[in-house]
Amino acid sequence: MANRLEIQDLWVSHEGKTILKGVNLVLPLGEVHALMGPNGAGKSTLGKVIAGDPNYQVEKGRILLDGEDITELTPDERARKGLFLAFQYPVEVPGVQVANFLRLALKERLGQEPPIAEFYARLKEAIELLDWDESVLSRYLNEGFSGGEKKKNEILQLLVLRPRYAILDETDSGLDIDALKVVARGVNSMRGPEFAALVITHYQRLLNYIVPDVVHVMMDGRVVKTGGPELALELEKRGYDWLKAEVAGA
Amino acid sequence: MIEVLPANPEKLAERLGEPGWLKEARKGAAAVFKAVPWPDRKTEPWRYAAGRLKNVPFDLPLALPKERSLSRDALPAVVRKRLADADLAGFLVFLGPDLVYAELAPELEEKGVVLTSLHQALRSHPELVEANLYKAIPARQKGNAEDKIPALAAALWTYGAFVYVPAGVEVEKPLAAFFVSEAEELEVSRTLILLDDHARLAYAEEHLSESEGEAVHVGMTELILRPGARLVHANVQTKNRASHHLYRQRALLEKDAALKDLAVNLGARFALSEVGSELLGPGADSEMLGVYFAAGDQHHDHYTLQHHVAPHARSDVYYKGVAKDEGTIVYQGLIKLEPGAQKTDAYQTNRNLLLSRKARVESVPQLEIAANDVRCSHGSSIAPIDEEQLFYLETRGIPRPSAENLLVAAFLEDVLGRVPLENLAHHVARVIEEKVRV
């Protein structure tokens, strides 16, 4: 059971309303999976619940990280075990500089103060990969960032913190094609046997640049279909209605 | 609360070898103390603190000087720790009411700069003291409940600092005074800082405890800024949680004088800090910053006064408070403009951050304007710590106490960033960090 993120029969409610209704999903290390589905299917909720958002109540089921049940762990404990959520709406934190924040986060990730040289090497490499400027490091975290910059900043954090499992929640939304390519380049640079990603998206467009190994489709709080990359193309062509009919008929 | 002063002010004056005018001033103050009632909820700065006042043991014995002195190596550990990362041109250390150590760079002494105890100054610079003491905070007040504690302080003070910078002299590195409280005493201090024309000084006063015992400190500080003088002044209180700390400060700013003031309350069980600037000359500028953080059952109460008498002066108050656990933080402030104070710029901002639902906060900014051609604004805000920001930081592996600390530091960053005493700002930030984590 090691080397995978596994969701087992996960039921979740928010403000009294049940949103996830028995999600099952396995993300093995070394793979990139796409999670697609219509609005309101519960994709973003799943991302937040995996990260440990306290606004959601897990009614039933488990989340296993490398075989360990993390369902009851706090968000920071999960992150230190190698989990990362790139937010759909990154939060502005005025007064906290990007560089200071990253150093503190990396210290927690590594369990010790990172050597200064290594820290700056990671920063420099990540900033170059994202076609960015070092001036971002002295800015306050996401404050006054454009929508595209906020998404880039999520990927910057991903590159510096190097988690084992990353969930990218609609990182493509609001990006123009150039920004999309930059973000995809960042994620693709992480690919390898020690990294897995769950890419949540509405559109097939991102998947042209981050080609998934597996595609899952969520509807009404459950994963209703799992297939290869061709499933994303089919959804792009035919929409979700045929799948709805198929699920209803089953 | 006491009805009779714990010492006879005239005998005190004799014992301390003071001149006749001072004995008379003490006598007058004692008469005011006798005549006025203790502050209650209706007394202006005491609206939220009157309840706490009842628990202050004013009946502790008055701290009397014992003529102790110490070598630099034998100074209290809390002071040595502070000296290790400070870069000072001179400093005083008071242990209880005794000035136990003093040093001042010889080149400053040659220029006529004075850094000593007020009693020493009564002997070495009697005319300067007589002309300026009780000028900003009179010994004989108008005579209402607000004056009860200042009257006690004027009648009974037994120690304090005296700082003088002659005309045109610029002191580059900061000076400091460390006041280390001792337990089970009523400590009453008075500090006088006098900057002559176009003098410049940065001065930080720190109030610390060496032990965990209960103590009461009543402190009055008078700042006199002659025309063109520029003073950076900080008052930082980090005492033990059994302390009661009552502090009043008044600055007199003449033409083109500038004060940049920082009031910090982090320690004590109950601290009341009243800081006021009187803008007496055109071009005067008073910037008053405040940082406070109440945890446990601490109560930190602040009052600011921007009193504009002259036209064309500017004042700006920026106070920020944090409360966690069942801490109480209070800010009250008054911008008061006299009819002659045309072309005034006066601003007042108070912001508060709450780390717990049980913390209590009050914020009462006020304007009293008798001039019509002025620019004034005031604002206040109270907000709980942002759960979305916390969650975001936590998902990056930062544990909640560290995330809270990061957000508190971010909240206070703009105040501490405005203090031109970098070492002191770092020290304050460190103490705050410890408080967030505990």
Side-chain angles (χ1 to χ4, degrees):
Chain A
M1 289 302 146
N3 297 332
R4 61 205 268 183
L5 173 66
E6 185 167 359
I7 316 296
Q8 293 179 342
D9 191 27
L10 192 66
W11 292 70
V12 169
S13 67
H14 178 58
E15 292 171 353
K17 193 180 165 217
T18 303
I19 298 174
L20 301 186
K21 302 168 182 171
V23 173
N24 288 291
L25 194 150
V26 175
L27 175 66
L29 208 55
E31 295 186 8
V32 169
H33 291 197
L35 181 63
M36 304 187 72
N39 274 330
K43 305 185 298 295
S44 287
T45 297
L46 180 61
K48 287 181 198 165
V49 170
I50 295 172
D53 190 330
N55 290 312
Y56 295 85
Q57 280 75 51
V58 174
E59 308 288 352
K60 196 182 159 198
R62 300 195 300 171
I63 304 165
L64 302 175
L65 189 76
D66 293 333
E68 182 190 352
D69 187 346
I70 62 164
T71 320
E72 300 295 322
L73 296 189
T74 58
D76 56 301
E77 288 168 332
R78 300 177 194 211
R80 290 197 297 276
K81 290 184 182 297
L83 195 68
F84 182 89
L85 171 66
F87 279 52
Q88 184 180 358
Y89 304 108
V91 180
E92 298 195 8
V93 192
V96 175
Q97 285 183 339
V98 171
N100 289 344
F101 159 68
L102 282 172
R103 201 177 57 217
L104 185 58
L106 185 59
K107 178 183 146 198
E108 295 296 345
R109 173 85 181 91
L110 300 176
Q112 60 184 26
E113 197 76 52
I116 290 286
E118 189 197 325
F119 174 60
Y120 280 101
R122 283 195 188 202
L123 279 184
K124 197 162 182 275
E125 191 186 322
I127 284 171
E128 277 173 16
L129 193 67
L130 296 173
D131 278 342
W132 224 353
D133 190 280
E134 283 189 21
S135 63
V136 66
L137 296 173
S138 55
R139 290 173 69 183
Y140 289 147
L141 189 52
N142 293 324
E143 191 193 32
F145 283 35
S146 69
E149 284 178 319
K150 283 181 182 171
K151 297 300 177 75
K152 248 163 91 165
N153 193 20
E154 296 295 284
I155 304 304
L156 175 67
Q157 294 168 40
L158 174 81
L159 294 174
V160 172
L161 299 178
R162 297 181 189 166
R164 282 157 65 80
Y165 299 92
I167 297 152
L168 309 180
D169 189 3
E170 299 201 18
T171 302
D172 52 336
S173 65
L175 294 186
D176 62 29
I177 195 72
D178 292 331
L180 194 70
K181 284 181 186 170
V182 167
V183 162
R185 196 194 308 153
V187 175
N188 286 330
S189 76
M190 290 287 294
R191 291 182 87 151
E194 290 302 314
F195 177 73
L198 183 66
V199 179
I200 298 172
T201 182
H202 268 297
Y203 307 105
Q204 199 272 333
R205 191 178 67 148
L206 175 66
L207 306 180
N208 289 333
Y209 301 97
I210 305 175
V211 181
D213 301 297
V214 173
V215 174
H216 305 277
V217 183
M218 263 185 94
M219 279 185 181
D220 193 26
R222 286 183 305 128
V223 174
V224 295
K225 198 171 180 71
T226 295
E230 70 285 351
L231 179 56
L233 291 167
E234 192 176 357
L235 289 167
E236 177 81 356
K237 212 182 299 167
R238 298 174 62 193
Y240 288 101
D241 286 349
W242 64 276
L243 195 55
K244 273 182 199 161
E246 192 181 299
V247 172
Chain B
M1 289 187 286
I2 49 168
E3 292 312 321
V4 180
L5 288 174
N8 178 312
E10 288 168 81
K11 283 188 183 148
L12 191 62
E14 280 157 27
R15 181 186 168 135
L16 298 170
E18 291 172 352
W21 66 266
L22 186 47
K23 189 172 167 181
E24 286 307 306
R26 287 182 183 272
K27 227 169 100 181
V32 173
F33 178 84
K34 199 175 168 192
V36 302
W38 282 94
D40 61 22
R41 281 175 198 290
K42 290 180 218 99
T43 312
E44 183 49 50
W46 288 92
R47 200 185 301 180
Y48 304 101
R52 288 283 183 149
L53 187 60
K54 291 189 186 76
N55 302 323
V56 179
F58 284 103
D59 54 352
L60 286 173
L62 181 67
L64 294 168
K66 299 163 196 74
E67 307 203 349
R68 292 170 292 179
S69 69
L70 293 171
S71 68
R72 197 179 171 161
D73 295 338
L75 291 174
V78 282
V79 174
R80 278 183 284 132
K81 208 172 147 198
R82 294 290 304 120
L83 289 172
D85 57 14
D87 186 17
L88 302 168
F91 63 92
L92 304 174
V93 180
F94 286 88
L95 184 58
D98 285 316
L99 175 61
V100 292
Y101 185 84
E103 69 173 55
L104 179 65
E107 63 271 23
L108 292 179
E109 223 164 323
E110 280 161 29
K111 287 179 182 167
V113 175
V114 181
L115 176 69
T116 185
S117 75
L118 195 44
H119 276 107
Q120 179 56 39
L122 276 166
R123 293 184 282 273
S124 61
H125 299 78
E127 65 300 327
L128 276 181
V129 178
E130 185 174 356
N132 293 286
L133 195 70
Y134 298 124
K135 201 164 152 185
I137 307 175
R140 278 180 187 273
Q141 300 269 1
K142 292 184 298 285
N144 55 43
E146 191 198 332
D147 304 323
K148 187 81 171 179
I149 290 164
L152 178 148
L156 295 187
W157 65 272
T158 58
Y159 68 106
F162 175 80
V163 186
Y164 173 66
V165 184
V169 173
E170 297 189 5
V171 181
E172 278 173 24
K173 282 187 190 174
L175 303 181
F178 299 92
F179 290 87
V180 182
S181 270
E182 296 182 295
E184 304 301 328
E185 286 192 317
L186 171 63
E187 298 176 329
V188 187
S189 71
R190 195 162 197 101
T191 286
L192 174 61
I193 297 178
L194 176 58
L195 266 61
D196 235 323
D197 296 31
H198 298 283
R200 287 183 83 140
L201 174 70
Y203 169 89
E205 185 169 294
E206 293 192 37
H207 295 270
L208 317 139
S209 314
E210 200 182 19
S211 67
E212 292 306 309
E214 184 171 32
V216 180
H217 177 229
V218 180
M220 302 282 134
T221 288
E222 299 179 271
L223 310 176
I224 315 280
L225 281 70
R226 294 269 162 73
R230 304 180 80 85
L231 174 64
V232 173
H233 178 265
N235 186 287
V236 178
Q237 182 271 115
T238 54
K239 288 172 147 177
N240 73 35
R241 297 281 182 97
S243 299
H244 308 266
H245 185 78
L246 302 168
Y247 177 72
R248 176 179 284 206
Q249 172 185 317
R250 287 291 181 275
L252 305 183
L253 283 79
E254 295 185 32
K255 186 174 181 296
D256 296 327
L259 170 69
K260 195 186 264 267
D261 186 71
L262 172 69
V264 177
N265 272 305
L266 301 175
R269 190 165 144 210
F270 167 51
L272 173 70
S273 165
E274 301 172 64
V275 174
S277 282
E278 310 265 349
L279 296 115
L280 305 175
D285 188 327
S286 168
E287 182 176 7
M288 296 142 87
L289 308 171
V291 170
Y292 42 103
F293 186 157
D297 70 340
Q298 287 182 301
H299 179 128
H300 290 158
D301 213 298
H302 295 83
Y303 178 81
T304 62
L305 172 67
Q306 297 151 271
H307 187 196
H308 285 257
V309 178
H312 293 281
R314 179 185 168 278
S315 67
D316 187 7
V317 159
Y318 193 40
Y319 270 53
K320 279 188 151 181
V322 182
K324 70 178 238 185
D325 307 330
E326 292 176 28
T328 301
I329 50 175
V330 178
Y331 170 80
Q332 302 175 82
L334 176 63
I335 296 178
K336 187 175 180 180
L337 269 53
E338 299 295 341
Q342 301 294 4
K343 305 285 181 190
T344 288
D345 277 345
Y347 309 101
Q348 186 189 46
T349 306
N350 172 234
R351 307 224 176 277
N352 301 281
L353 179 67
L354 301 182
L355 303 187
S356 106
R357 281 161 200 254
K358 288 183 177 171
R360 193 175 157 213
V361 57
E362 304 288 347
S363 181
V364 190
Q366 291 180 80
L367 299 173
E368 201 181 296
I369 300 177
N372 51 23
D373 185 12
V374 299
R375 284 200 298 184
C376 288
S377 74
H378 64 173
S380 79
S381 65
I382 299 167
I385 196 157
D386 189 314
E387 288 294 333
E388 289 201 6
Q389 290 179 340
L390 277 178
F391 176 59
Y392 186 65
L393 298 173
E394 287 174 284
T395 64
R396 287 355 181 198
I398 300 170
R400 194 174 175 102
S402 297
E404 285 186 342
N405 182 55
L406 208 55
L407 294 181
V408 169
F411 172 72
L412 297 175
E413 204 247 15
D414 60 348
V415 183
L416 290 176
R418 274 161 76 171
V419 181
L421 293 162
E422 214 174 306
N423 287 328
L424 189 75
H426 283 156
H427 167 62
V428 170
R430 273 196 302 273
V431 176
I432 290 169
E433 181 168 348
E434 281 164 33
K435 285 193 77 172
V436 176
R437 287 177 192 280
V438 170

